[in-house]
Each structure stands twice: as structure tokens, then as C-alpha cells.
Amino acid sequence: MIYLDNNATTMVAPEIKKQLYEACDIWGNASSMHESGRLANKAITEARNSVASLIGANSDEIMFTSGATEANNTVLNIPEGGRILVSKVEHPSIIETCKFLLSKGREVEFIDVDSSGIIRLDEYEKQLKKGGVSLCSVMAANNESGAIQPFKEACALAHKYGSLFHTDATQAIGKVDIDVHKDNIDYLSLSGHKFYAPKGCGALYINSSSPFNTFMHGGHQEQGKRAGTYNTTAIYGLGLAADLVMKEGSEERERLWSLREYLREGIEKTIDDISINSPQDMKQCLPGTLNVSFPGAEGESILLLLDNKGICVSTGSACATGSLEPSYVLLAQGIPVESAHGSIRFSLGRYNTKEEIDYVIEVLPSIISRLRAWSTRKK
């Protein structure tokens, strides 16, 4: 199997998997005072320190969650009044939560993006100038197009006009340099399964000087900010993954970009009438993400035929799978409906090789030709 859907989820790194198996012996409740509890608490403390180091935070500013979806919901429920600004290409856990808040009478503004999928800072600032904004949320990088957002500039503008700022950094961890203190970020969300940790564990960074309202009530865990018994094994894995991506640094980013460009060039040479929906500059795009439209071929059909060849790709956000609607992210970029319907996202990761990309380039042209021929006959 050739797995090119790493923006949906990554495999647990083999070296982490081995340590997770051993960590299953740390089964005590981390809130307990006895030896078994202390061992679990020690593992969680180590993980907290690692996650904090990963994003330039203090360890007491890290709150463990079940993932970025919970973290995003938590942040959006912090302000009790005022307007909320978000981009039109945020993850569904932001977009759908904002729609819910709208239904409850809150004011939310969805900011346009340009043809590359990057937020229009001029429109964003125009909304800020109107006043009354309590929170701005702009993702660090998009999960479908790979577009890296100017989140640092968006943060500075938010603060200039008296608003708090949050960034969903789920896709950016290990691929984009982030220092929450240097960049003056108030809140940041992340999810472990996007960078080789197990699923079911993430974190929310909360700047020590920023306000916070508890979203999940119950026990005293996480300094009373988030109730629930600790998922010690998953949290331990999250810490190991943080150490892993910090160790790899920029070398892995360069390798992924080179592999991504090799794939793009191969597709462009072997298939006519395509369009690249991802930014073409490494400074503006996640290194392993390539979103391509194949007009005349349905994305779902391309996905299934590639799957039949042992290649795993995506037609968009995994959290939106099941919808027959074209990607709202691509539509926001101004991409025509037909092209959006015929889009495929290739997202490369740590374990992909040049040989795998060669195979994709070998089998993809005949699949597109076949689907286009069927489409022509149907017309």
C-alpha cells in the first residue's frame, strides 16, 4: 500500500509504537497520589514539557485534549460576547462551530481568501477596524490546499485592534516554524495524529496572560481547565512525537518538498488539462501537500481507482468525507465547481519514497484517460 493521505492522519512512528507498547504498563491514574499514579504523572509531565518546547511555550500553558477539534471548540467558546473573525477555509471544527454560534445569536464574520487560498489581510483588517471583535481565528496552514496562512501577521493585526488571537496549527506542526511567545499568540490547537503520534490526543496552548473559560467540567485535571481522566499512553506518545519532529527539523521539510515537486512535475508531463490548486512557493505551501484538479474526471472515481491500485489519496478534508458537495476550500479560492469536483489531494509524509511516487506517476495517466473517456460517452 502506498499511503499519500498524511494530512488526514499519519501512521504512528515505529520507534514511538515500540515505546507506547512499553508505556501500557504505566496504567495508574495520573491524579492518584500513590506510586502507580506518580509514574503516570511523570510520563504526562515529560510529554507536557516536550509539547511546550515544540511550540516555544511554558509547560504550564499546555492543556491536553482529545484532539484539535476539542481544542478549537474550547477556544471559540471562550469569548462571551463580541464578534468573531475566521477565514472561509478553516477546518470544519472551526467553520461548523461558528455556524452553531451564529444560530445562537453570536456575530461571526467569514473572511475571503485569494486564488491561492490565503486569507485577504486587507479584508481582515477592514473587519477589525469596525471594532467589537473579541476573537480572531486563522489557521496556520490549510489541510486541503496546503496554503500556509500569514497567521503571524493576522495575530499582530488582531492585537492592534484589541482582539485575542487563535491559530489552528494542526497541519503546520513539524512543517512550519512556530514560536507562540515570539509571535504573541494567545491560543494554539494541535493534534498528535497529524505528526506520527496516536489518535485521540491533542493539546491547546493557552497563553498565561490570556483569558480562559472551562469548556469540559468535572474533575480537577489540567489545573481545573479540562476535566477527564488522563489518556496517559496517548499523551506519552504525543510527547514522543514532539521530540521526533523537533529532532528532524528542516531536513525532512526539504525532502518532502523535493518529493512533492517530483510528483507535480510528473503529473504535468504525463496528463494534459490539469490545474494545481496548491501554492507553488515552498514559503506559502506545506512541503508535502499537492492538490490537483483533473477536469472531466470525478474526484471520487479517481480515488477509488487509485485505491484499487494500492494508492491511498483524498478528495479533500477527511472530516468532510461522505459529502457529495465540492470542497468549500477550493470554492473559496474561486476554483470552478467542475474542477473542484475533480480534485485530488496528495499529502506526503515521513515514510514516502521516490519509488512510490514513480508508481503513482505510472498508473495515474491511464486512470484519468479512462474516466475522461467515460465522461465524454455519458455526455
Side-chain angles (χ1 to χ4, degrees):
M1 180 180 72
I2 296 175
Y3 186 76
L4 302 178
D5 199 17
N6 287 276
N7 284 11
T9 195
T10 58
M11 67 179 285
V12 177
E15 56 267 53
I16 292 176
K17 189 186 300 184
K18 182 178 184 297
Q19 293 180 77
L20 284 178
Y21 179 77
E22 296 170 355
C24 287
D25 289 334
I26 308 173
W27 45 263
N29 188 321
S31 298
S32 298
M33 296 177 65
H34 49 60
E35 182 180 4
S36 180
R38 292 196 302 273
L39 286 172
N41 185 265
K42 180 175 182 293
I44 289 170
T45 298
E46 291 174 357
R48 198 185 305 279
N49 292 337
S50 294
V51 173
S53 295
L54 176 65
I55 61 172
N58 297 326
S59 59
D60 61 357
E61 296 174 313
I62 301 299
M63 184 183 87
F64 290 120
T65 67
S66 60
T69 291
E70 180 193 329
N72 288 342
N73 272 262
T74 300
V75 170
L76 288 170
N77 279 277
I78 289 174
E80 297 178 352
R83 299 160 63 221
I84 297 173
L85 303 186
V86 301
S87 82
K88 287 185 176 179
V89 296
E90 297 297 312
H91 186 269
S93 61
I94 293 285
I95 297 292
E96 295 303 318
T97 304
C98 284
K99 288 179 180 178
F100 173 77
L101 292 173
L102 273 169
S103 74
K104 298 298 181 181
R106 293 297 301 278
E107 287 188 73
V108 181
E109 300 289 345
F110 298 90
I111 310 299
D112 286 332
V113 297
D114 63 20
S115 59
S116 296
I118 296 172
I119 188 171
R120 294 186 180 276
L121 287 178
D122 56 345
E123 183 182 328
Y124 174 75
E125 185 172 13
K126 184 178 178 181
Q127 288 293 337
L128 281 165
K129 284 181 178 179
K130 290 181 180 180
V133 177
S134 57
L135 177 68
C136 299
S137 183
V138 178
M139 64 192 343
N142 187 264
N143 46 301
E144 292 191 45
S145 69
I148 296 173
Q149 300 295 337
F151 63 95
K152 298 175 185 180
E153 293 88 338
C155 179
L157 284 170
H159 290 161
K160 177 181 177 181
Y161 293 99
S163 171
L164 295 166
F165 183 82
H166 164 254
T167 187
D168 178 355
T170 303
Q171 293 293 338
I173 297 298
K175 305 166 192 172
V176 177
D177 291 329
I178 297 176
D179 187 318
V180 291
H181 284 172
K182 182 179 178 181
D183 301 329
N184 294 314
I185 293 170
D186 295 296
Y187 312 102
L188 178 146
S189 305
L190 62 84
S191 218
H193 73 103
K194 304 294 188 180
F195 57 102
Y196 313 104
K199 296 173 182 60
C201 184
L204 174 62
Y205 157 77
I206 308 160
N207 186 284
S208 58
S209 63
S210 300
F212 184 80
N213 291 326
T214 299
F215 185 61
M216 294 182 66
H217 299 270
H220 62 275
Q221 294 88 353
E222 296 301 89
Q223 305 172 70
K225 293 177 179 177
R226 195 268 188 186
T229 301
Y230 288 106
N231 184 351
T232 305
T233 306
I235 291 172
Y236 181 65
L238 177 63
L240 294 173
D243 292 336
L244 179 67
V245 297
M246 281 191 287
K247 181 180 178 181
E248 287 182 337
S250 61
E251 288 184 13
E252 176 63 6
R253 301 179 201 177
E254 295 288 345
R255 187 190 76 86
L256 282 176
W257 181 258
S258 176
L259 210 54
R260 181 258 197 200
E261 285 296 273
Y262 184 68
L263 173 61
R264 178 185 61 79
E265 291 167 1
I267 292 174
E268 289 181 332
K269 288 176 182 176
T270 57
I271 304 173
D272 294 328
D273 188 24
I274 66 165
S275 57
I276 305 298
N277 303 321
S278 300
Q280 299 289 55
D281 185 340
M282 186 179 177
K283 294 180 181 178
Q284 292 186 319
C285 188
L286 293 174
T289 302
L290 180 67
N291 192 301
V292 186
S293 284
F294 302 91
E298 286 288 334
E300 288 80 5
S301 299
I302 301 170
L303 184 154
L304 292 172
L305 289 175
L306 283 173
D307 185 43
N308 193 46
K309 294 288 187 179
I311 301 167
C312 301
V313 296
S314 172
T315 56
S317 169
C319 298
T321 299
S323 171
L324 295 178
E325 294 297 316
S327 161
Y328 67 86
V329 170
L330 299 185
L331 294 181
Q333 291 180 219
I335 293 170
V337 172
E338 182 187 359
S339 293
H341 268 305
S343 68
I344 289 293
R345 181 190 68 188
F346 303 90
S347 48
L348 286 57
R350 190 170 183 247
Y351 303 102
N352 291 124
T353 64
K354 181 176 178 293
E355 290 72 26
E356 291 179 333
I357 302 305
D358 283 330
Y359 178 66
V360 174
I361 295 170
E362 177 187 336
V363 303
L364 184 58
S366 61
I367 288 174
I368 301 302
S369 295
R370 201 159 118 206
L371 290 174
R372 285 174 171 170
W374 287 346
S375 178
T376 301
R377 284 198 295 270
K378 285 179 181 178
K379 292 178 181 177

